Amino acid sequence: MSKSAETELKHLKMSIRYLIGLLEEGSLVPRYDEATRREIGVVLQHLLHKVEGLPNGVPENLVMGTAVRALVEAATDHDETAHQEQADALERQMCEAEAWASIHGHQLEPWEQVAGSAMEYQTNCEMCGGFIYVSHNSNYNLLLETCERIKQE
């Protein structure tokens, strides 16, 4: 690696560390919430870690390829974590809805997935026909405070 490339790499590393510090502090892009700034910082740290581990003399195109791969890996990790958090939240919403319904005398039918969505489910009370909808971030409970109708046969 030439002296100018080494100097450029050193400046890039210093710039990334400075950017991460500003993101963590919150003075850079204050309209982003803290979690977003932290996520950007994690991606930059991942990028820096991948590039720092390269030996001297690696051609620039391989360095760039490593940087791109690091960004893709960080984005994939973030997406997997976010999806798992949403799945956990959905399961929690469903359990809370089932518990509330049971406490108030409702007998719920099996959950049905809402067409066109992997993170939305709905069910009805077998007795009164009341309705519950849940997603990973919301819960619409249209059941009565107590189950009042008996299932007609």
PDB file of all heavy atoms in Angstrom, residues 35-64:
ATOM      1  N   ALA A  35     -32.044   5.624  19.046  1.00  0.00           N
ATOM      2  CA  ALA A  35     -31.892   4.254  18.525  1.00  0.00           C
ATOM      3  C   ALA A  35     -31.363   4.274  17.094  1.00  0.00           C
ATOM      4  O   ALA A  35     -30.501   3.466  16.740  1.00  0.00           O
ATOM      5  CB  ALA A  35     -33.226   3.520  18.587  1.00  0.00           C
ATOM      6  N   THR A  36     -31.850   5.193  16.280  1.00  0.00           N
ATOM      7  CA  THR A  36     -31.379   5.290  14.892  1.00  0.00           C
ATOM      8  C   THR A  36     -29.909   5.666  14.850  1.00  0.00           C
ATOM      9  O   THR A  36     -29.134   5.078  14.101  1.00  0.00           O
ATOM     10  CB  THR A  36     -32.207   6.333  14.106  1.00  0.00           C
ATOM     11  OG1 THR A  36     -33.576   5.938  14.147  1.00  0.00           O
ATOM     12  CG2 THR A  36     -31.748   6.436  12.666  1.00  0.00           C
ATOM     13  N   ARG A  37     -29.525   6.644  15.661  1.00  0.00           N
ATOM     14  CA  ARG A  37     -28.112   7.045  15.697  1.00  0.00           C
ATOM     15  C   ARG A  37     -27.238   5.882  16.155  1.00  0.00           C
ATOM     16  O   ARG A  37     -26.159   5.643  15.622  1.00  0.00           O
ATOM     17  CB  ARG A  37     -27.926   8.251  16.619  1.00  0.00           C
ATOM     18  CG  ARG A  37     -28.557   9.517  16.080  1.00  0.00           C
ATOM     19  CD  ARG A  37     -28.120  10.744  16.856  1.00  0.00           C
ATOM     20  NE  ARG A  37     -28.153  10.598  18.289  1.00  0.00           N
ATOM     21  CZ  ARG A  37     -29.142  11.005  19.079  1.00  0.00           C
ATOM     22  NH1 ARG A  37     -30.200  11.578  18.555  1.00  0.00           N
ATOM     23  NH2 ARG A  37     -29.075  10.853  20.379  1.00  0.00           N
ATOM     24  N   ARG A  38     -27.734   5.126  17.131  1.00  0.00           N
ATOM     25  CA  ARG A  38     -26.971   3.978  17.631  1.00  0.00           C
ATOM     26  C   ARG A  38     -26.822   2.926  16.537  1.00  0.00           C
ATOM     27  O   ARG A  38     -25.758   2.345  16.363  1.00  0.00           O
ATOM     28  CB  ARG A  38     -27.675   3.406  18.866  1.00  0.00           C
ATOM     29  CG  ARG A  38     -26.802   2.555  19.727  1.00  0.00           C
ATOM     30  CD  ARG A  38     -27.445   2.135  21.043  1.00  0.00           C
ATOM     31  NE  ARG A  38     -28.883   2.076  21.016  1.00  0.00           N
ATOM     32  CZ  ARG A  38     -29.680   2.854  21.751  1.00  0.00           C
ATOM     33  NH1 ARG A  38     -29.187   3.741  22.561  1.00  0.00           N
ATOM     34  NH2 ARG A  38     -30.992   2.729  21.686  1.00  0.00           N
ATOM     35  N   GLU A  39     -27.900   2.670  15.772  1.00  0.00           N
ATOM     36  CA  GLU A  39     -27.842   1.683  14.694  1.00  0.00           C
ATOM     37  C   GLU A  39     -26.835   2.099  13.623  1.00  0.00           C
ATOM     38  O   GLU A  39     -26.068   1.273  13.125  1.00  0.00           O
ATOM     39  CB  GLU A  39     -29.227   1.514  14.063  1.00  0.00           C
ATOM     40  CG  GLU A  39     -30.200   0.783  14.952  1.00  0.00           C
ATOM     41  CD  GLU A  39     -31.631   0.869  14.461  1.00  0.00           C
ATOM     42  OE1 GLU A  39     -31.867   1.431  13.370  1.00  0.00           O
ATOM     43  OE2 GLU A  39     -32.512   0.371  15.170  1.00  0.00           O
ATOM     44  N   ILE A  40     -26.829   3.376  13.264  1.00  0.00           N
ATOM     45  CA  ILE A  40     -25.858   3.863  12.280  1.00  0.00           C
ATOM     46  C   ILE A  40     -24.445   3.681  12.821  1.00  0.00           C
ATOM     47  O   ILE A  40     -23.541   3.247  12.100  1.00  0.00           O
ATOM     48  CB  ILE A  40     -26.131   5.340  11.918  1.00  0.00           C
ATOM     49  CG1 ILE A  40     -27.467   5.466  11.171  1.00  0.00           C
ATOM     50  CG2 ILE A  40     -25.007   5.894  11.039  1.00  0.00           C
ATOM     51  CD1 ILE A  40     -27.942   6.897  11.007  1.00  0.00           C
ATOM     52  N   GLY A  41     -24.250   3.983  14.092  1.00  0.00           N
ATOM     53  CA  GLY A  41     -22.941   3.804  14.720  1.00  0.00           C
ATOM     54  C   GLY A  41     -22.488   2.357  14.695  1.00  0.00           C
ATOM     55  O   GLY A  41     -21.323   2.060  14.427  1.00  0.00           O
ATOM     56  N   VAL A  42     -23.418   1.430  14.941  1.00  0.00           N
ATOM     57  CA  VAL A  42     -23.080   0.005  14.920  1.00  0.00           C
ATOM     58  C   VAL A  42     -22.652  -0.419  13.517  1.00  0.00           C
ATOM     59  O   VAL A  42     -21.674  -1.148  13.344  1.00  0.00           O
ATOM     60  CB  VAL A  42     -24.273  -0.847  15.412  1.00  0.00           C
ATOM     61  CG1 VAL A  42     -24.086  -2.315  15.097  1.00  0.00           C
ATOM     62  CG2 VAL A  42     -24.484  -0.644  16.899  1.00  0.00           C
ATOM     63  N   VAL A  43     -23.374   0.059  12.504  1.00  0.00           N
ATOM     64  CA  VAL A  43     -23.015  -0.274  11.128  1.00  0.00           C
ATOM     65  C   VAL A  43     -21.624   0.260  10.801  1.00  0.00           C
ATOM     66  O   VAL A  43     -20.792  -0.439  10.210  1.00  0.00           O
ATOM     67  CB  VAL A  43     -24.065   0.289  10.136  1.00  0.00           C
ATOM     68  CG1 VAL A  43     -23.572   0.183   8.710  1.00  0.00           C
ATOM     69  CG2 VAL A  43     -25.377  -0.459  10.293  1.00  0.00           C
ATOM     70  N   LEU A  44     -21.349   1.497  11.211  1.00  0.00           N
ATOM     71  CA  LEU A  44     -20.033   2.074  10.938  1.00  0.00           C
ATOM     72  C   LEU A  44     -18.930   1.324  11.686  1.00  0.00           C
ATOM     73  O   LEU A  44     -17.846   1.102  11.141  1.00  0.00           O
ATOM     74  CB  LEU A  44     -20.024   3.564  11.297  1.00  0.00           C
ATOM     75  CG  LEU A  44     -20.877   4.449  10.396  1.00  0.00           C
ATOM     76  CD1 LEU A  44     -20.934   5.867  10.947  1.00  0.00           C
ATOM     77  CD2 LEU A  44     -20.360   4.447   8.969  1.00  0.00           C
ATOM     78  N   GLN A  45     -19.196   0.921  12.924  1.00  0.00           N
ATOM     79  CA  GLN A  45     -18.215   0.132  13.679  1.00  0.00           C
ATOM     80  C   GLN A  45     -17.948  -1.188  12.965  1.00  0.00           C
ATOM     81  O   GLN A  45     -16.809  -1.632  12.869  1.00  0.00           O
ATOM     82  CB  GLN A  45     -18.728  -0.166  15.099  1.00  0.00           C
ATOM     83  CG  GLN A  45     -18.653   0.993  16.029  1.00  0.00           C
ATOM     84  CD  GLN A  45     -17.250   1.232  16.552  1.00  0.00           C
ATOM     85  OE1 GLN A  45     -16.249   0.844  15.954  1.00  0.00           O
ATOM     86  NE2 GLN A  45     -17.162   1.914  17.673  1.00  0.00           N
ATOM     87  N   HIS A  46     -19.012  -1.821  12.479  1.00  0.00           N
ATOM     88  CA  HIS A  46     -18.868  -3.089  11.750  1.00  0.00           C
ATOM     89  C   HIS A  46     -18.007  -2.879  10.507  1.00  0.00           C
ATOM     90  O   HIS A  46     -17.109  -3.676  10.218  1.00  0.00           O
ATOM     91  CB  HIS A  46     -20.259  -3.619  11.378  1.00  0.00           C
ATOM     92  CG  HIS A  46     -20.269  -5.024  10.891  1.00  0.00           C
ATOM     93  ND1 HIS A  46     -20.051  -6.105  11.723  1.00  0.00           N
ATOM     94  CD2 HIS A  46     -20.463  -5.539   9.653  1.00  0.00           C
ATOM     95  CE1 HIS A  46     -20.115  -7.210  11.024  1.00  0.00           C
ATOM     96  NE2 HIS A  46     -20.365  -6.905   9.763  1.00  0.00           N
ATOM     97  N   LEU A  47     -18.276  -1.806   9.790  1.00  0.00           N
ATOM     98  CA  LEU A  47     -17.498  -1.475   8.603  1.00  0.00           C
ATOM     99  C   LEU A  47     -16.034  -1.254   8.963  1.00  0.00           C
ATOM    100  O   LEU A  47     -15.132  -1.809   8.327  1.00  0.00           O
ATOM    101  CB  LEU A  47     -18.070  -0.221   7.933  1.00  0.00           C
ATOM    102  CG  LEU A  47     -17.244   0.408   6.820  1.00  0.00           C
ATOM    103  CD1 LEU A  47     -17.141  -0.533   5.639  1.00  0.00           C
ATOM    104  CD2 LEU A  47     -17.857   1.724   6.399  1.00  0.00           C
ATOM    105  N   LEU A  48     -15.798  -0.466   9.986  1.00  0.00           N
ATOM    106  CA  LEU A  48     -14.432  -0.164  10.409  1.00  0.00           C
ATOM    107  C   LEU A  48     -13.703  -1.440  10.823  1.00  0.00           C
ATOM    108  O   LEU A  48     -12.542  -1.647  10.456  1.00  0.00           O
ATOM    109  CB  LEU A  48     -14.466   0.836  11.564  1.00  0.00           C
ATOM    110  CG  LEU A  48     -13.144   1.459  11.973  1.00  0.00           C
ATOM    111  CD1 LEU A  48     -12.533   2.224  10.808  1.00  0.00           C
ATOM    112  CD2 LEU A  48     -13.355   2.392  13.150  1.00  0.00           C
ATOM    113  N   HIS A  49     -14.386  -2.297  11.556  1.00  0.00           N
ATOM    114  CA  HIS A  49     -13.774  -3.552  12.008  1.00  0.00           C
ATOM    115  C   HIS A  49     -13.360  -4.420  10.820  1.00  0.00           C
ATOM    116  O   HIS A  49     -12.256  -4.977  10.806  1.00  0.00           O
ATOM    117  CB  HIS A  49     -14.754  -4.306  12.908  1.00  0.00           C
ATOM    118  CG  HIS A  49     -14.271  -5.645  13.331  1.00  0.00           C
ATOM    119  ND1 HIS A  49     -13.264  -5.816  14.258  1.00  0.00           N
ATOM    120  CD2 HIS A  49     -14.641  -6.893  12.938  1.00  0.00           C
ATOM    121  CE1 HIS A  49     -13.034  -7.109  14.416  1.00  0.00           C
ATOM    122  NE2 HIS A  49     -13.864  -7.783  13.631  1.00  0.00           N
ATOM    123  N   LYS A  50     -14.216  -4.512   9.822  1.00  0.00           N
ATOM    124  CA  LYS A  50     -13.897  -5.332   8.649  1.00  0.00           C
ATOM    125  C   LYS A  50     -12.710  -4.773   7.871  1.00  0.00           C
ATOM    126  O   LYS A  50     -11.843  -5.520   7.430  1.00  0.00           O
ATOM    127  CB  LYS A  50     -15.104  -5.433   7.714  1.00  0.00           C
ATOM    128  CG  LYS A  50     -16.213  -6.293   8.228  1.00  0.00           C
ATOM    129  CD  LYS A  50     -15.868  -7.742   8.093  1.00  0.00           C
ATOM    130  CE  LYS A  50     -17.045  -8.609   8.473  1.00  0.00           C
ATOM    131  NZ  LYS A  50     -16.805 -10.010   8.288  1.00  0.00           N
ATOM    132  N   VAL A  51     -12.695  -3.470   7.699  1.00  0.00           N
ATOM    133  CA  VAL A  51     -11.632  -2.847   6.905  1.00  0.00           C
ATOM    134  C   VAL A  51     -10.318  -2.838   7.678  1.00  0.00           C
ATOM    135  O   VAL A  51      -9.251  -3.046   7.099  1.00  0.00           O
ATOM    136  CB  VAL A  51     -12.049  -1.423   6.471  1.00  0.00           C
ATOM    137  CG1 VAL A  51     -10.920  -0.714   5.763  1.00  0.00           C
ATOM    138  CG2 VAL A  51     -13.260  -1.493   5.552  1.00  0.00           C
ATOM    139  N   GLU A  52     -10.363  -2.634   8.986  1.00  0.00           N
ATOM    140  CA  GLU A  52      -9.135  -2.613   9.789  1.00  0.00           C
ATOM    141  C   GLU A  52      -8.428  -3.958   9.783  1.00  0.00           C
ATOM    142  O   GLU A  52      -7.212  -4.026   9.885  1.00  0.00           O
ATOM    143  CB  GLU A  52      -9.455  -2.236  11.247  1.00  0.00           C
ATOM    144  CG  GLU A  52      -9.573  -0.759  11.474  1.00  0.00           C
ATOM    145  CD  GLU A  52      -9.810  -0.443  12.940  1.00  0.00           C
ATOM    146  OE1 GLU A  52     -10.389  -1.268  13.659  1.00  0.00           O
ATOM    147  OE2 GLU A  52      -9.415   0.646  13.356  1.00  0.00           O
ATOM    148  N   GLY A  53      -9.191  -5.022   9.655  1.00  0.00           N
ATOM    149  CA  GLY A  53      -8.600  -6.349   9.702  1.00  0.00           C
ATOM    150  C   GLY A  53      -7.880  -6.764   8.435  1.00  0.00           C
ATOM    151  O   GLY A  53      -7.255  -7.822   8.399  1.00  0.00           O
ATOM    152  N   LEU A  54      -7.951  -5.945   7.413  1.00  0.00           N
ATOM    153  CA  LEU A  54      -7.280  -6.289   6.158  1.00  0.00           C
ATOM    154  C   LEU A  54      -5.776  -6.054   6.266  1.00  0.00           C
ATOM    155  O   LEU A  54      -5.332  -5.067   6.854  1.00  0.00           O
ATOM    156  CB  LEU A  54      -7.842  -5.443   5.006  1.00  0.00           C
ATOM    157  CG  LEU A  54      -9.305  -5.688   4.639  1.00  0.00           C
ATOM    158  CD1 LEU A  54      -9.746  -4.701   3.575  1.00  0.00           C
ATOM    159  CD2 LEU A  54      -9.508  -7.111   4.162  1.00  0.00           C
ATOM    160  N   PRO A  55      -4.985  -6.944   5.699  1.00  0.00           N
ATOM    161  CA  PRO A  55      -3.522  -6.744   5.731  1.00  0.00           C
ATOM    162  C   PRO A  55      -3.109  -5.611   4.794  1.00  0.00           C
ATOM    163  O   PRO A  55      -3.850  -5.228   3.887  1.00  0.00           O
ATOM    164  CB  PRO A  55      -2.976  -8.090   5.243  1.00  0.00           C
ATOM    165  CG  PRO A  55      -4.091  -8.716   4.479  1.00  0.00           C
ATOM    166  CD  PRO A  55      -5.375  -8.189   5.053  1.00  0.00           C
ATOM    167  N   ASN A  56      -1.934  -5.071   5.041  1.00  0.00           N
ATOM    168  CA  ASN A  56      -1.402  -4.028   4.160  1.00  0.00           C
ATOM    169  C   ASN A  56      -1.183  -4.612   2.773  1.00  0.00           C
ATOM    170  O   ASN A  56      -0.881  -5.787   2.604  1.00  0.00           O
ATOM    171  CB  ASN A  56      -0.073  -3.489   4.701  1.00  0.00           C
ATOM    172  CG  ASN A  56      -0.275  -2.661   5.948  1.00  0.00           C
ATOM    173  OD1 ASN A  56      -1.358  -2.149   6.181  1.00  0.00           O
ATOM    174  ND2 ASN A  56       0.774  -2.533   6.746  1.00  0.00           N
ATOM    175  N   GLY A  57      -1.356  -3.766   1.774  1.00  0.00           N
ATOM    176  CA  GLY A  57      -1.104  -4.180   0.405  1.00  0.00           C
ATOM    177  C   GLY A  57      -2.304  -4.773  -0.309  1.00  0.00           C
ATOM    178  O   GLY A  57      -2.188  -5.226  -1.439  1.00  0.00           O
ATOM    179  N   VAL A  58      -3.461  -4.774   0.334  1.00  0.00           N
ATOM    180  CA  VAL A  58      -4.659  -5.304  -0.319  1.00  0.00           C
ATOM    181  C   VAL A  58      -5.103  -4.292  -1.372  1.00  0.00           C
ATOM    182  O   VAL A  58      -5.196  -3.096  -1.088  1.00  0.00           O
ATOM    183  CB  VAL A  58      -5.788  -5.544   0.710  1.00  0.00           C
ATOM    184  CG1 VAL A  58      -7.086  -5.926   0.027  1.00  0.00           C
ATOM    185  CG2 VAL A  58      -5.378  -6.616   1.699  1.00  0.00           C
ATOM    186  N   PRO A  59      -5.390  -4.746  -2.578  1.00  0.00           N
ATOM    187  CA  PRO A  59      -5.821  -3.820  -3.630  1.00  0.00           C
ATOM    188  C   PRO A  59      -7.104  -3.068  -3.237  1.00  0.00           C
ATOM    189  O   PRO A  59      -7.939  -3.590  -2.502  1.00  0.00           O
ATOM    190  CB  PRO A  59      -6.086  -4.729  -4.837  1.00  0.00           C
ATOM    191  CG  PRO A  59      -5.340  -5.981  -4.553  1.00  0.00           C
ATOM    192  CD  PRO A  59      -5.279  -6.118  -3.069  1.00  0.00           C
ATOM    193  N   GLU A  60      -7.239  -1.862  -3.755  1.00  0.00           N
ATOM    194  CA  GLU A  60      -8.358  -0.992  -3.385  1.00  0.00           C
ATOM    195  C   GLU A  60      -9.708  -1.630  -3.689  1.00  0.00           C
ATOM    196  O   GLU A  60     -10.654  -1.485  -2.906  1.00  0.00           O
ATOM    197  CB  GLU A  60      -8.233   0.340  -4.124  1.00  0.00           C
ATOM    198  CG  GLU A  60      -9.269   1.356  -3.686  1.00  0.00           C
ATOM    199  CD  GLU A  60      -9.071   2.699  -4.345  1.00  0.00           C
ATOM    200  OE1 GLU A  60      -7.947   3.008  -4.783  1.00  0.00           O
ATOM    201  OE2 GLU A  60     -10.058   3.437  -4.411  1.00  0.00           O
ATOM    202  N   ASN A  61      -9.814  -2.350  -4.806  1.00  0.00           N
ATOM    203  CA  ASN A  61     -11.108  -2.956  -5.139  1.00  0.00           C
ATOM    204  C   ASN A  61     -11.512  -4.013  -4.104  1.00  0.00           C
ATOM    205  O   ASN A  61     -12.692  -4.174  -3.804  1.00  0.00           O
ATOM    206  CB  ASN A  61     -11.109  -3.536  -6.554  1.00  0.00           C
ATOM    207  CG  ASN A  61     -10.122  -4.668  -6.743  1.00  0.00           C
ATOM    208  OD1 ASN A  61      -9.117  -4.754  -6.030  1.00  0.00           O
ATOM    209  ND2 ASN A  61     -10.385  -5.533  -7.703  1.00  0.00           N
ATOM    210  N   LEU A  62     -10.546  -4.722  -3.522  1.00  0.00           N
ATOM    211  CA  LEU A  62     -10.866  -5.695  -2.476  1.00  0.00           C
ATOM    212  C   LEU A  62     -11.257  -5.002  -1.178  1.00  0.00           C
ATOM    213  O   LEU A  62     -12.131  -5.481  -0.448  1.00  0.00           O
ATOM    214  CB  LEU A  62      -9.697  -6.650  -2.252  1.00  0.00           C
ATOM    215  CG  LEU A  62      -9.384  -7.595  -3.410  1.00  0.00           C
ATOM    216  CD1 LEU A  62      -8.188  -8.469  -3.081  1.00  0.00           C
ATOM    217  CD2 LEU A  62     -10.588  -8.456  -3.743  1.00  0.00           C
ATOM    218  N   VAL A  63     -10.607  -3.877  -0.887  1.00  0.00           N
ATOM    219  CA  VAL A  63     -10.977  -3.095   0.294  1.00  0.00           C
ATOM    220  C   VAL A  63     -12.416  -2.606   0.141  1.00  0.00           C
ATOM    221  O   VAL A  63     -13.235  -2.711   1.061  1.00  0.00           O
ATOM    222  CB  VAL A  63     -10.018  -1.901   0.512  1.00  0.00           C
ATOM    223  CG1 VAL A  63     -10.505  -1.005   1.636  1.00  0.00           C
ATOM    224  CG2 VAL A  63      -8.606  -2.401   0.797  1.00  0.00           C
ATOM    225  N   MET A  64     -12.736  -2.084  -1.032  1.00  0.00           N
ATOM    226  CA  MET A  64     -14.095  -1.601  -1.287  1.00  0.00           C
ATOM    227  C   MET A  64     -15.092  -2.755  -1.209  1.00  0.00           C
ATOM    228  O   MET A  64     -16.175  -2.603  -0.647  1.00  0.00           O
ATOM    229  CB  MET A  64     -14.176  -0.926  -2.640  1.00  0.00           C
ATOM    230  CG  MET A  64     -13.414   0.343  -2.740  1.00  0.00           C
ATOM    231  SD  MET A  64     -14.541   1.406  -3.498  1.00  0.00           S
ATOM    232  CE  MET A  64     -13.914   2.973  -3.431  1.00  0.00           C
TER     233      MET A  64
END
